[in-house]
Amino acid sequence: MTKMLNINNVTRTQAYLDFYLRYPEIHWAFLGHAVSRNGGWNMTDLKGDLLSRLMSEEKQEEFFEFLERGNWLIFQDAFPQFLLYAESIRQGRSLFYLLPCMGISRFMEVIWDDFWQRRDSYILAMAQVVNEQSYLEARMIQNPFYKEKIFQTLEFFLQDLLSFNQILFPSRKGEKASLTGMTIHQFGSLHERIILGRRLYHLLFKDRKQHKEILAWCISRAHTGSRKDYWPHIFNDVNEGLPGPLQIRRLKNCRLIKGSPKLYSPQLEHAWPNMKHRPAEPGDWFDDSGVVVYLKEKEEPVNGKITGDYCETLQNLELAVLAKKTVFI
């Protein structure tokens, strides 16, 4: 079942949502869905109106493979846990002793057994944030290949220009979605990614009204990978522009200048083919019990206002394209 659903970003993202709707006590399923939508948007950005003019095809492919590999790895680790939980519910008994047979960290076996007894959705969700980010750390972030191809050569590009560091949660506000979200400035830091996961969880679950609005939007808008999904007033999955270099600005104050074509944001199926993956690297990341500190609930003010930052990112990207000052080959 996991292999069948782990075809591409669209199938994974939908699988997370479908599971959450069946088992709403598993909060990470919805967090995974919402973050996975962003992964898809980042993938199609590489073939969209702006980034495709700043990056060579080789760099586009390297970034896509990085994003796709991470998305694939997390799903093939997380979703078997969900399916085992569903089967435990069906049988009325804990089956989590089977997790190590699936290559899943012994850390999660303890956490799932605890959840089976106490039903603490917060601790389970935060443990899954810790697990998935730690799982990626050795396989992706510390991987010499990705360090050379992604983090070292394009660090500035990734952090300050690409908007890969902005996570957006649209919510249902008519045709034009309202945005909530967070920005991460140290993607290479495991600690910072875990803290970001905790803050994103707060945005999704601590305000019941906001949770309902974001969930309603996700249910009503099937994920395609195109940013048209949430802002059709700016983006279109059909290319309205003329071929060749960008000549004039289209955006001002996060609105299209009158008469300008919308920004091209393709659907995933039209941007990238499905990728065949090598098997996940073996090994258990868990070797330090100190990670339990992340499971303690911490009340902190989380400012989810992201629209201004995101609009600034779009405008900076457009200016970079016009100026031709930033070209990666």
Side-chain angles (χ1 to χ4, degrees):
M1 179 64 73
T2 299
K3 184 177 180 180
M4 183 181 74
L5 295 173
N6 204 4
I7 297 172
N8 56 47
N9 171 265
V10 170
T11 58
R12 291 171 208 129
T13 304
Q14 187 61 44
Y16 285 139
L17 180 61
D18 291 343
F19 187 86
Y20 178 70
L21 294 176
R22 288 182 62 197
Y23 303 99
E25 67 273 21
I26 309 300
H27 290 181
W28 190 93
F30 186 45
L31 176 60
H33 167 80
V35 173
S36 188
R37 279 188 182 253
N38 283 266
W41 295 329
N42 288 332
M43 291 175 189
T44 60
D45 282 347
L46 297 167
K47 293 294 186 182
D49 246 337
L50 301 177
L51 291 185
S52 65
R53 301 172 193 264
L54 295 175
M55 302 174 73
S56 68
E57 289 191 8
E58 180 182 358
K59 284 301 177 188
Q60 292 171 31
E61 290 175 3
E62 287 174 0
F63 263 81
F64 169 71
E65 289 175 8
F66 173 76
L67 292 166
E68 167 64 13
R69 180 67 175 175
N71 206 235
W72 181 89
L73 278 171
I74 287 179
F75 189 88
Q76 65 84 40
D77 184 74
F79 210 73
Q81 299 178 48
F82 293 166
L83 296 178
L84 198 59
Y85 172 72
E87 183 63 16
S88 296
I89 293 288
R90 192 182 74 83
Q91 293 192 24
R93 64 190 182 101
S94 169
L95 298 173
F96 303 117
Y97 65 91
L98 294 172
L99 286 172
C101 304
M102 303 175 186
I104 294 161
S105 175
R106 64 187 187 276
F107 172 76
M108 288 310 300
E109 180 182 356
V110 174
I111 294 295
W112 276 107
D113 279 333
D114 177 75
F115 178 75
W116 190 255
Q117 297 297 324
R118 300 195 302 120
R119 303 290 165 159
D120 191 321
S121 293
Y122 176 80
I123 287 180
L124 176 62
M126 281 311 305
Q128 289 181 299
V129 168
V130 171
N131 178 65
E132 300 312 336
Q133 292 305 321
S134 299
Y135 183 78
L136 282 186
E137 183 70 9
R139 293 165 177 81
M140 297 287 296
I141 310 303
Q142 300 302 326
N143 185 309
F145 174 80
Y146 292 119
K147 273 192 169 183
E148 177 185 354
K149 294 292 185 180
I150 303 295
F151 294 105
Q152 292 177 2
T153 59
L154 297 178
E155 183 174 3
F156 170 79
F157 192 64
L158 192 152
Q159 292 295 334
D160 296 303
L161 197 58
L162 261 183
S163 79
F164 280 12
N165 56 348
Q166 291 172 343
I167 306 295
L168 310 177
F169 296 154
S171 59
R172 199 168 188 173
K173 297 282 186 180
E175 184 64 20
K176 177 184 175 182
S178 176
L179 299 180
T180 304
M182 296 289 297
T183 300
I184 182 171
H185 295 291
Q186 298 180 40
F187 185 81
S189 165
L190 173 61
H191 171 74
E192 290 298 326
R193 295 197 312 276
I194 292 173
I195 297 304
L196 175 70
R198 183 172 71 197
R199 291 170 177 166
L200 293 175
Y201 176 90
H202 277 253
L203 287 179
L204 287 179
F205 288 97
K206 289 305 178 180
D207 184 321
R208 184 170 296 183
K209 181 175 181 290
Q210 182 165 277
H211 172 80
K212 288 182 177 180
E213 289 176 348
I214 295 173
L215 179 60
W217 184 89
C218 290
I219 293 171
S220 67
R221 296 289 193 278
H223 177 60
T224 71
S226 172
R227 292 188 183 271
K228 178 186 176 182
D229 290 350
Y230 63 88
W231 271 6
H233 65 293
I234 287 181
F235 298 99
N236 197 353
D237 54 10
V238 175
N239 197 342
E240 300 179 359
L242 297 174
L246 193 64
Q247 301 291 340
I248 58 173
R249 290 185 63 181
R250 302 186 198 177
L251 295 174
K252 186 176 182 181
N253 299 325
C254 223
R255 295 182 179 181
L256 281 176
I257 295 172
K258 188 175 181 180
S260 299
K262 294 179 180 179
L263 297 180
Y264 177 51
S265 179
Q267 295 185 13
L268 184 73
E269 64 176 337
H270 299 140
W272 296 106
N274 295 336
M275 179 177 163
K276 291 185 178 180
H277 290 266
R278 64 188 182 278
E281 297 83 351
D284 190 341
W285 62 267
F286 181 63
D287 59 7
D288 179 9
S289 60
V291 296
V292 297
V293 70
Y294 291 115
L295 307 186
K296 184 177 180 180
E297 189 159 9
K298 183 178 180 181
E299 291 296 333
E300 56 182 329
V302 178
N303 181 1
K305 295 180 180 179
I306 194 72
T307 304
D309 288 345
Y310 178 58
C311 290
E312 185 176 354
T313 295
L314 283 178
Q315 291 172 180
N316 287 342
L317 276 169
E318 186 179 50
L319 290 174
V321 173
L322 289 168
K324 295 291 185 182
K325 290 180 180 178
T326 310
V327 179
F328 293 92
I329 58 175

